[in-house]
Amino acid sequence: MEMRLVGIAILLGMADVLHAFAIMEKEDIFKKTPCPAFLMFDNAAYLADMSFELPCKCKPEEVISVVWYFQKSMGSRQTKVLTDFDGTMFLDSGHIRVGSDMLKRFSIRMFSLIIFQAQVEDSGHYLCGTKEGDFFYGYDVDVQPSKAITVAFEDRSQHPQKDHTEEHFSVFTTFWDWTKCDRCGVRGEQRRIGLCYVKSAYLYPRYRTVPTDVVSCGSRSVPGRFQGTIQRRKPEVVIRSCLTPCVKTKGPEEGVLSISNLIAKIGQKPWLPKVPIQFHKQLLGSGLIIACPGARPEHAVAWDKDSTRLYRTSFLTGVNKSMRVFIDHGNHLHIRFAQLGDRGTYYCWREGQMVAGFRLSVGFRGHRKRTLDDPETRYAIKAILTSYVLITMVFVGIHLSRCCCYVFRCSPME
């Protein structure tokens, strides 16, 4: 027992040494990276609902904690402080909801700022500095919308948008690499996300661009007189079919397989799902959004209902405006106005592997005792009281008009 305790103590000591070594490596990076003499802004573009990290690439050696600031535009007096002054605020990304306030969707880790599920409203300037207002590094972040994104299907011979060139600037799309095939062993799909960029020699010089004279379309370095044409350009995504084999998994050993066959002969072999299954009951007529565990918008994600493949060529949002079941660009599966036919098991693929299943059952709303706290009860009471007031007003108005008519008719003539 004493030897075990000694071994545990040695392991903990080694962990502390490794942690201290990691911190010293981080500090060495700051020593090697000098801060610019004038504050510059690095341009960075992302698609809405994505998460991203902004590292504070330089700081003085005597600074032990940094403060992140957010400005919608340069010189704005409305500045948000995105951290406590100790730089110790952390969030669990699993508790973040789409559309929540930016102050609830960030985290500070080793001087870096992490924004979860970024929205278009998060576009602006991010500055790394101190609580006294000294700034070391800055970013010009452009979060481009995903709702009005342009979609092209290669299988239907559709092509991306063409470049647009004018006298002083040109607008084009820069594509990321193709994602992995979202399924294996069967026909799958690949996505390629493209963001809007502009090339011009008239960009504001305080913004650092790589390559030179090229920034994202929503950058603050683009002159205002160019915005009218540039804002009409939307991000785009290209989708194509793919087929890739599944990675062979190691099967059970011979002894385990024999025991399993013996159990099956003695009694009925229990049903074992191929992936973890989550059970959910949905009320008839209500809406439901299903997210794939561990998936992000940039991942390759696919959905199946039982044995039916829900391909994006038919179920991507925007393909048909009257769709009740669709997949958004954040890889979420939407079911509007759930019906009895929606019952079944929905399987989720992530990066080419099936990872989870959702057993959905749809039922009627059961009878229960109403209370004054229920929204339906409050709405009914409000409607009844409003109707009562209107009827009372009409009743009083009718009697007042009759009384006025009677008074005028019965008044003596002079």
Side-chain angles (χ1 to χ4, degrees):
M1 187 57 133
E2 293 180 356
M3 293 299 295
R4 288 184 180 180
L5 292 175
V6 172
I8 293 173
I10 293 173
L11 289 175
L12 291 175
M14 292 178 64
D16 291 338
V17 171
L18 292 174
H19 179 68
F21 180 72
I23 294 177
M24 289 188 65
E25 274 195 339
K26 195 75 174 181
E27 291 176 352
D28 290 338
I29 293 175
F30 292 120
K31 290 181 181 179
K32 295 178 182 179
T33 307
C35 293
F38 298 95
L39 183 63
M40 304 286 289
F41 294 94
D42 286 354
N43 178 243
Y46 306 93
L47 193 64
D49 295 329
M50 288 187 174
S51 301
F52 59 87
E53 179 180 358
L54 302 177
C56 187
K57 294 185 178 180
C58 73
K59 69 175 185 64
E61 296 182 22
E62 62 272 10
V63 176
I64 59 175
S65 64
V66 298
V67 178
W68 281 92
Y69 298 88
F70 171 74
Q71 284 185 339
K72 195 66 179 176
S73 57
M74 187 183 298
S76 175
R77 295 183 178 180
Q78 296 181 354
T79 303
K80 291 183 179 179
V81 181
L82 302 182
T83 173
D84 57 2
F85 293 125
D86 294 327
T88 56
M89 186 173 290
F90 293 90
L91 289 179
D92 182 4
S93 59
H95 298 158
I96 305 299
R97 295 184 178 181
V98 176
S100 59
D101 186 77
M102 182 178 60
L103 295 176
K104 301 177 181 178
R105 290 186 286 102
F106 77 93
S107 176
I108 308 295
R109 296 176 184 173
M110 290 298 293
F111 311 113
S112 297
L113 175 68
I114 302 175
I115 300 291
F116 300 103
Q117 297 182 353
Q119 302 301 306
V120 178
E121 296 77 15
D122 298 338
S123 301
H125 296 107
Y126 291 83
L127 301 97
C128 169
T130 64
K131 61 182 179 181
E132 288 81 14
D134 299 325
F135 302 128
F136 314 131
Y137 212 85
Y139 289 92
D140 171 35
V141 175
D142 174 25
V143 181
Q144 301 187 10
S146 60
K147 292 183 179 179
I149 194 170
T150 304
V151 182
F153 297 99
E154 279 197 356
D155 298 346
R156 300 177 182 175
S157 300
Q158 298 177 356
H159 303 285
Q161 303 176 79
K162 294 183 179 180
D163 298 348
H164 178 79
T165 303
E166 294 196 5
E167 182 180 358
H168 299 296
F169 66 93
S170 60
V171 186
F172 57 94
T173 301
T174 298
F175 285 93
W176 298 355
D177 294 335
W178 287 99
T179 63
K180 294 182 179 180
C181 195
D182 55 14
R183 295 177 177 88
C184 69
V186 296
R187 185 177 76 87
E189 292 176 327
Q190 288 179 291
R191 290 190 308 158
R192 196 180 186 189
I193 297 175
L195 300 179
C196 175
Y197 278 81
V198 58
K199 179 178 177 62
S200 175
Y202 296 91
L203 303 176
Y204 293 134
R206 198 169 182 180
Y207 294 82
R208 190 176 338 197
T209 61
V210 179
T212 308
D213 298 336
V214 175
V215 294
S216 60
C217 293
S219 171
R220 271 59 181 173
S221 65
V222 179
R225 62 182 183 274
F226 299 162
Q227 292 293 340
T229 303
I230 295 175
Q231 286 179 355
R232 292 195 290 268
R233 183 89 175 197
K234 303 298 181 183
E236 51 189 316
V237 58
V238 182
I239 299 174
R240 69 181 183 185
S241 298
C242 59
L243 183 62
T244 182
C246 294
V247 178
K248 294 183 179 180
T249 57
K250 187 178 180 180
E253 298 179 359
E254 184 177 356
V256 177
L257 186 61
S258 301
I259 295 174
S260 176
N261 294 333
L262 178 61
I263 295 175
K265 292 179 181 179
I266 295 176
Q268 186 177 1
K269 191 175 181 180
W271 174 75
L272 296 176
K274 47 188 176 182
V275 291
I277 300 292
Q278 179 180 348
F279 295 86
H280 180 76
K281 184 176 182 181
Q282 189 72 11
L283 296 177
L284 184 68
S286 59
L288 176 65
I289 301 177
I290 307 176
C292 188
R296 296 197 299 268
E298 59 268 26
H299 285 167
V301 177
W303 292 93
D304 296 343
K305 181 189 177 185
D306 296 326
S307 59
T308 303
R309 316 292 181 193
L310 305 181
Y311 290 111
R312 282 181 167 81
T313 50
S314 302
F315 290 91
L316 184 65
T317 177
V319 173
N320 187 352
K321 294 183 179 179
S322 61
M323 285 192 303
R324 193 179 55 83
V325 179
F326 61 90
I327 303 171
D328 65 14
H329 295 290
N331 296 323
H332 302 100
L333 180 64
H334 295 247
I335 301 177
R336 291 178 176 175
F337 310 110
Q339 300 178 2
L340 296 178
D342 296 327
R343 292 180 294 188
T345 303
Y346 293 83
Y347 293 101
C348 166
W349 297 72
R350 187 186 70 224
E351 298 292 292
Q353 294 184 351
M354 187 178 293
V355 294
F358 302 86
R359 178 72 64 83
L360 179 64
S361 61
V362 181
F364 295 93
R365 188 184 298 273
H367 296 284
R368 60 187 180 88
K369 196 174 182 179
R370 296 289 184 182
T371 62
L372 293 177
D373 295 331
D374 293 336
E376 295 89 349
T377 304
R378 294 182 178 180
Y379 177 80
I381 294 175
K382 185 178 179 180
I384 292 172
L385 292 176
T386 304
S387 303
Y388 179 79
V389 171
L390 291 176
I391 293 173
T392 303
M393 292 174 62
V394 171
F395 178 79
V396 173
I398 292 174
H399 279 273
L400 286 175
S401 60
R402 291 184 64 184
C403 290
C404 292
C405 292
Y406 178 79
V407 170
F408 287 124
R409 286 180 183 178
C410 298
S411 59
M413 299 294 294
E414 294 183 358

